[in-house]
Amino acid sequence: MLGEYRIEGRGAAEIAASVERAVGSGELEPGQLLPPMRELASALGVNPNTVAAAYRTLRERGVIETAGRRGSRVRPKPATTGRDQLPDVPAGVRDLSSGNPDPALLPALASALAAVAAECDRDPVLYGADPVEPELERMARAELAADGVPDGPLTVTSGSLDAAERVLLAHLKPGDPVAVEDPGWGRTLDLIPALGLRTVPVAVDDEGPRADALRRALESGARAL
């Protein structure tokens, strides 16, 4: 047993899966303390190393965090927990964690999407075609060149979070530290531990990451920013 939740199986993978399911279902809440490894091992009748391996897997998957002698607990925003299970934002506080823009500032897309749909009806995009629309590539390359971004292959992603995930998976390995703005976008803070990476907070001001904080993060071994 883990609180009111039953551990199914005695292997490290089964223990980790049981805890992750409990977190995902809300039976284990964000911030909830987990039993010490030896205590849980005794209750389950398994070797403490088995529980240690399960907890390590859960840390790598961004489900729990360990703070030395203070023990292990479910992360405040575990990767497997929906945001509807988190506490409400206090009255008078503006919630920026979603990263959403003001809908009033978004352009109307109906006519543009209709034009794209009509063009695809006339000339369907098939396998083997250019992966990036040539006109989109031309416009994007011009803007990137104006910003001083070197020439090179262009990839289209499903938003900035998808782009960040692809880059991190391509260049980093589990356990690598990543420098992240603090405070920063909640989805980034969810993504990094879910990939098995470690966050290194970098203080910000009105201009972005502070140079002194970024320097310390890089000197501490951060592999990405």
Side-chain angles (χ1 to χ4, degrees):
M1 296 290 288
L2 187 62
E4 296 300 320
Y5 189 78
R6 180 172 298 280
I7 298 292
E8 299 176 0
R10 294 190 175 186
E14 291 87 355
I15 295 171
S18 294
V19 173
E20 189 164 357
R21 281 195 299 271
V23 172
S25 67
E27 294 173 89
L28 285 174
E29 299 179 351
Q32 185 169 336
L33 190 66
L34 301 182
M37 288 184 285
R38 291 188 179 277
E39 180 181 315
L40 182 57
S42 176
L44 296 175
V46 300
N47 191 294
N49 290 337
T50 301
V51 177
Y55 279 20
R56 182 170 60 250
T57 297
L58 291 165
R59 284 195 302 273
E60 292 173 350
R61 291 182 58 79
V63 178
I64 69 172
E65 58 188 11
T66 300
R69 295 190 177 185
R70 292 198 296 272
S72 299
R73 64 181 66 245
V74 180
R75 290 185 64 239
K77 172 59 186 81
T80 53
T81 302
R83 291 190 172 269
D84 56 351
Q85 298 177 20
L86 297 180
D88 293 333
V89 176
V93 175
R94 180 170 295 179
D95 183 8
L96 303 179
S97 63
S98 69
N100 286 320
D102 184 343
L105 302 178
L106 297 176
L109 296 177
S111 59
L113 293 175
V116 171
E119 182 178 340
C120 287
D121 286 343
R122 293 191 301 271
D123 185 16
V125 178
L126 304 175
Y127 291 120
D130 288 337
V132 179
E133 173 66 29
E135 180 64 10
L136 172 61
E137 183 172 15
R138 183 191 67 77
M139 296 174 63
R141 177 51 57 198
E143 292 198 15
L144 291 170
D147 288 337
V149 178
D151 193 11
L154 189 69
T155 298
V156 176
T157 67
S158 181
S160 60
L161 194 66
D162 180 37
E165 181 175 1
R166 290 169 183 245
V167 171
L168 293 174
L169 286 173
H171 293 278
L172 275 62
K173 62 182 183 299
D176 282 346
V178 179
V180 183
E181 291 179 335
D182 180 24
W185 187 27
R187 295 298 187 186
T188 302
L189 300 176
D190 299 341
L191 172 67
I192 291 173
L195 297 179
L197 306 171
R198 295 188 292 109
T199 55
V200 178
V202 175
V204 299
D205 56 24
D206 290 344
E207 302 298 323
R210 286 172 38 188
D212 57 338
L214 178 56
R215 184 179 300 109
R216 286 194 296 271
L218 295 175
E219 290 175 350
S220 72
R223 298 289 310 281
L225 168 64

